[in-house]
């Protein structure tokens, strides 16, 4: 699987003189759903009760299916309403949600299989040396015969930093166990993400006990609701649960997923969209880290004022700004508008 473009759908909601911002990474059809079926519930709703609106939007999409496009749409709206609430109260969103920490640990993520050895080396080296990341992640599984070589290049580039790998569900159970063992023994890989598809929680559960310690199995980026999370957790499919605020129902949904993981004594790691995750993760009890994903970092730093800059492998919210601290640079975004 591959992609040639990334589409971001930005949502603005207003109350009084304040404007809340939210967004998701998905298909442009999300905008039509928001402007169509969801709009009636959004207009006139109470900006101080984002959870109530979230419940009402879930009811709207019940018959069309809550996963996929509908979940992306609700995620964008929910993050916008939480941003609006914080701005109406003139508070940083992290403070409104009850901050437990003042910074978030990140790991560099990219290492695409299309990269040359030089591209891979330069990207991983920069994350470790320039940004201070203590861990980096590369993709594996598309060309299995090259995985050993690419892992060796990665290890050479990062020295003693932690090395993660992500198969994006490309393998079967036996292939995943074999790759996990080789990667741990030869290159010290300590994180194996989606060795098989997250749609196969039983397969993940079969793989997990066969991975050599301290390698952890992670999955969850395609969680669209709390039931998806419950399936992974109840089957003991993961050592670390992931979810994405732009997919799982926004801030309201993300906190439900993270709380459920906490009940199972499983740590949480956030998937992509680092600028949008920043504030809510500061309020999360069982947080491990945040994915500093190359593609989304590039977009967010290009299109948003207030996008975080890493220092010593961490990002921190700007507590002098209310809300999520982000503002879309409309003039910069206009040339890329999907019409």
């Amino acid at each position: 699987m591959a992609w040639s473009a990334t589409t971001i759908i930005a949502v603005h909601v207003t109350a009084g003189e304040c404007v809340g911002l939210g967004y998701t990474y998905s298909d442009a059809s999300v905008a039509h759903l928001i402007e169509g079926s969801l709009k009636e519930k959004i207009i006139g709703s109470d900006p101080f009760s984002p959870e109530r609106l979230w419940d009402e939007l879930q009811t709207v999409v019940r018959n069309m299916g809550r996963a996929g496009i509908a979940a992306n749409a609700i995620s964008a709206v929910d993050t916008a309403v939480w941003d609006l609430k914080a701005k109406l109260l003139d508070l940083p969103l992290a403070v409104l949600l009850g901050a437990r920490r003042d910074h978030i640990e990140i790991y560099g993520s990219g290492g695409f299989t299309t990269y040359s050895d030089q591209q891979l080396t330069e990207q991983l080296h920069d994350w470790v040396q320039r940004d201070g990341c203590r861990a980096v992640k590369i993709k594996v599984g598309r060309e299995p015969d090259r995985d050993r070589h690419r892992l060796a290049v990665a290890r050479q580039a990062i020295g003693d930093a932690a090395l993660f790998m992500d198969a994006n569900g490309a393998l079967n159970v036996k292939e995943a166990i074999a790759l996990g063992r080789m990667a741990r023994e030869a290159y010290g890989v300590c994180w194996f993400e989606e060795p098989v598809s997250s749609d196969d929680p039983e397969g993940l559960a079969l793989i997990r006990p066969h991975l050599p310690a301290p390698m952890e199995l992670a999955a969850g980026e395609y969680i669209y609701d709390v039931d998806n999370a419950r399936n992974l957790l109840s089957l003991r499919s993961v050592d670390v649960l992931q979810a994405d605020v732009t997919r799982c129902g926004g801030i309201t949904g993300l906190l439900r997923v993270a709380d459920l993981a906490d009940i199972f004594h499983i740590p949480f790691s956030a998937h992509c969209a680092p600028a949008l995750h920043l504030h809510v993760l500061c309020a999360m009890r069982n947080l491990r880290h945040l994915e500093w994903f190359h593609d989304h970092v590039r977009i967010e730093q290009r299109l948003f004022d207030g996008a975080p800059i890493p220092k010593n492998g961490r990002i921190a919210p700007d507590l002098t700004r209310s809300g999520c601290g982000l503002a879309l640079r409309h003039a910069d975004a206009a040339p890329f508008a999907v019409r």
Side-chain angles (χ1 to χ4, degrees):
M1 294 183 286
W3 74 95
S4 59
T6 300
T7 302
I8 183 170
I9 299 91
V11 172
H12 291 90
V13 292
T14 62
E17 297 180 355
C18 293
V19 179
L21 168 68
Y23 57 88
T24 186
Y25 291 97
S26 187
D27 184 79
S29 59
V30 168
H32 299 292
L33 176 57
I34 295 170
E35 288 284 356
S37 300
L38 304 189
K39 188 175 181 178
E40 181 179 342
K41 292 292 185 182
I42 298 167
I43 293 176
S45 63
D46 182 356
F48 292 108
S49 300
E51 297 98 334
R52 178 177 179 179
L53 175 60
W54 189 90
D55 286 341
E56 292 177 351
L57 296 179
Q58 295 292 334
T59 300
V60 171
V61 303
R62 179 178 179 181
N63 287 341
M64 70 179 74
R66 292 190 177 123
I69 295 297
N72 292 142
I74 292 173
S75 298
V77 172
D78 184 77
T79 53
V81 175
W82 275 105
D83 184 46
L84 177 61
K85 178 178 179 179
K87 286 176 176 173
L88 287 167
L89 295 171
D90 196 25
L91 290 172
L93 183 56
V95 174
L96 174 63
L97 293 171
R100 295 174 179 267
R101 59 184 61 83
D102 56 13
H103 62 264
I104 303 299
E105 179 126 356
I106 60 170
Y107 67 88
S109 173
F112 302 123
T113 57
T114 53
Y115 284 175
S116 67
D117 289 355
Q118 181 177 350
Q119 287 175 302
L120 182 62
T121 296
E122 290 176 354
Q123 184 183 66
L124 303 186
H125 180 271
D126 283 349
W127 280 327
V128 173
Q129 297 300 321
R130 180 195 63 205
D131 299 334
C133 291
R134 297 165 183 81
V136 300
K137 185 172 75 181
I138 71 168
K139 302 291 187 183
V140 295
R142 184 175 182 178
E143 298 177 80
D145 291 343
R146 294 185 61 232
D147 285 340
R148 179 183 285 270
H149 171 72
R150 296 181 64 255
L151 289 167
V153 171
R155 174 52 69 197
Q156 181 67 30
I158 66 174
D160 294 333
L163 180 57
F164 297 176
M165 64 182 186
D166 181 359
N168 285 118
L171 307 174
N172 63 39
V173 169
K174 289 187 176 181
E175 290 170 339
I177 292 171
L179 177 57
R181 288 173 173 171
M182 181 277 292
R184 178 62 199 169
E185 293 166 6
Y187 305 108
V189 174
C190 58
W191 171 283
F192 198 173
E193 185 172 328
E194 269 201 320
V196 298
S197 171
S198 293
D199 293 331
D200 182 15
E202 293 87 355
L204 293 169
L206 285 172
I207 294 165
R208 191 177 69 83
H210 292 285
L211 298 179
M215 178 180 279
E216 294 178 306
L217 192 154
E221 66 184 75
Y222 291 107
I223 287 172
Y224 288 110
D225 59 38
V226 74
D227 291 318
N228 297 152
R230 179 175 54 83
N231 289 340
L232 290 171
L233 293 165
S234 62
L235 290 170
R236 302 290 176 181
S237 301
V238 296
D239 296 297
V240 180
L241 186 70
Q242 298 172 287
D244 187 326
V245 72
T246 75
R247 290 176 177 166
C248 71
I251 290 167
T252 301
L254 189 76
L255 290 174
R256 294 181 75 201
V257 169
D259 285 347
L260 183 61
D262 200 24
I263 291 170
F264 278 83
H265 306 285
I266 295 293
F268 181 87
S269 178
H271 172 265
C272 297
L276 197 60
H277 274 110
L278 177 54
H279 280 255
V280 63
L281 297 185
C282 287
M284 194 172 288
R285 180 179 182 274
N286 54 330
L287 179 70
R288 174 73 65 80
H289 43 42
L290 166 63
E291 184 171 7
W292 189 249
F293 181 52
H294 165 73
D295 193 33
H296 291 181
V297 170
R298 176 178 60 91
I299 292 170
E300 291 171 351
Q301 291 185 348
R302 183 168 187 171
L303 299 184
F304 293 97
D305 285 329
I309 303 296
K311 183 178 180 181
N312 297 325
R314 298 167 172 175
I315 56 174
D318 181 353
L319 299 182
T320 68
R321 301 169 71 114
S322 62
C324 68
L326 299 173
L328 180 65
R329 294 199 289 263
H330 291 272
D332 292 340
F336 305 101
V338 178
R339 295 182 174 85

